[in-house]
Amino acid sequence: FDHATLDLGALGADARIWLALGHLLAGATFVAVGVTLAILCRRVGQGDPFTELATRALRATGVTVLVGGLLWQVCLQLGQRLAIADVFGVKAGQWMNNVKGITPDSVYWPGASGDFGIDLWPIGVGLALFALATVFRYGQKLERERAELREEVKGLV
């Protein structure tokens, strides 16, 4: 069989905490990205995208995506492993098994795979946001120089 429908009484507190923390970190990461996009859109709409606020937001979002993106995956992996142990562990509960030969001690009993997979995309996205923050910082410098030149030429024209 490749799937099962289960009614679970309750997961252990450790599994619930890790799963909740993983989802909290994922949500916070997406909120940070959304806030940064809103700041950038607002600044572009006002015609002044190269501000200190935009640069700081990009840097902060880079850190958030880099750290949060990796941590949420670790938390969810740990929570899922604990949940599988709670559900399918030998001491997990009573099972009404209609298939002969499949017991919690048999090799056919479901359990966690040996994989502990972490996607590395948050590293690339975090580094890209840091690079974009550097571009915005350079844009700030150019804007300051342009304003200074405008002041210098003001009386000449």
Side-chain angles (χ1 to χ4, degrees), residues 62 65-70 72-73 118-127:
V65 168
L66 185 79
V67 174
L70 292 172
W72 101 50
Q73 293 180 72
I118 301 294
D119 294 329
L120 299 178
W121 64 263
I123 296 171
V125 173
L127 292 176

Side-chain angles (χ1 to χ4, degrees), residues 59-80:
R59 265 192 242 130
T61 303
V63 169
T64 303
V65 168
L66 185 79
V67 174
L70 292 172
L71 283 180
W72 101 50
Q73 293 180 72
V74 170
C75 290
L76 288 178
Q77 289 281 332
L78 289 172
Q80 290 166 0

